[in-house]
Amino acid sequence: MDNKISANRRSFLKGGLALGGLSLLNPISAVANPVVLEEEEFSIKVGPYLQTDFNGSIAVLWITNKNCNSWVEYGETPEQMPKKAYGEGELGLLPAGRLNCVKLPDLKPDCKYYYRIVSREIVSFQPYKVTYGKTIQGAIEHFVNADLKKEEVSFVMLNDIHDRPNSIPELLSLDKGNKRDFVFFNGDIFDYQTNEQQIIDHMLEPCVSAFAKTTPFLYVRGNHETRGVFARDFKTYFHHVAYTAFTLGPVRFIVLDTGEDKEDSHPVYAELVDFDHYRVKQAAWLAQEIDRKEFKKAAFRIVLMHIPPRYSGDGHGAKHCTALFEPIMNRGKVDLVLSGHTHKYKVHPPAKGQNNYPIIIGGGPLKGTKTLTKVLATKTELKVVMLNDSGTEVADYVIATR
Ligand SMILES: [Fe+2]
């Protein structure tokens, strides 16, 4: 990230009115200490970072320090990137902000693409005259667009980082050299949401440095991402944070957004949450999902959810997840659930009359309890290996096709 103030940045005195006001109040100090503001040069604050839900496109995201008009140039060689894609319009208006998200459509399966982000600063936005400033671009990056029909799929899961950004490269370094289809963040990457800089410093920047320019990530909230003054802005920084389903290779993936752990009426939520209805809505969606042919014909069905559907105490959120999701997941013959939340890594095998599938829970966030969960699925076998932060294997679980 290069958001440091560069030497050639323009400095200027704050508008005459403000200076005049100060002069009237205290003419001596205003002359001796003029109010000087440094205008930041137009720059990329963080990115690019890739996200996808494996439904035919890949999203390229980046954040600029000023409003702009942005696009991505891309192609199959670094010398020739003839295609250009822009952010999605809304109600006929194309984006003109700082949070840039450009989906690259119609990508060929298993094809390597080169791309470059470009942003043109909007210096002034008058009703009938928009003035553009400098145009900046990122370096040429690359990614391989997944073949959705691939023979095997592999990914790693991180969870419960809790505002410890160094844990992201630390844990991912345990998997160095392996090419994964995606990285999955299974919630509680933060303690609570404060502002944009926290999202950049504690997640996006570590991801961009470690992998996210070339490998996409998916992200679902834990109970902690729903807290804090910035929780309602949080989703605008990501392409996928809610519940979803997708197929990649032999696996049908289900992502559930499990919400808060306490009852909605708890005083700390100040009458500002409604997770009961949100979970009920997801249960209705899941009940339809298990009847879809993509779900039924998949060799394996993996559910990713922050609060596990069992084994995480008697809190309202945990119990509600059990009551709503467990019967549907049993009916749908789910093969594996991957969760976090408890801060104690553990493998819970299937239990008669309860969960008919194993529930594997990643740990964190303290040293010795952090985990990297590695998953590899072929058409016949699903293998989960969990490493602790020293790189020691602490779990190994294999599931064969039914
Ligand atoms: Fe947590």
Side-chain angles (χ1 to χ4, degrees), residues 308-323:
R310 229 172 228 287
Y311 311 114
S312 70
D314 291 329
H316 170 77
K319 282 164 70 181
H320 201 212
C321 283
T322 309

Side-chain angles (χ1 to χ4, degrees), residues 150-155 248-251 253 298-302 335-336 374-385 396-402:
K150 66 208 309 266
E151 292 284 307
E152 56 179 57
V153 54
S154 74
F155 67 99
L248 184 60
V251 180
F253 288 95
F300 293 103
R301 293 155 283 264
I302 300 178
D335 294 286
L336 168 69
K374 308 193 286 183
V375 182
L376 173 68
T378 65
K379 285 185 170 154
T380 55
E381 189 184 89
L382 177 55
K383 186 175 169 63
V384 184
V385 172
D396 183 358
Y397 199 90
V398 177
I399 302 161
T401 34
R402 289 169 194 245

Side-chain angles (χ1 to χ4, degrees), residues 160 162 187-188 223-224 306 341-343:
D160 294 276
H162 283 281
D188 284 10
N223 47 309
H224 283 262
H306 176 74
H341 188 56
T342 62
H343 296 188

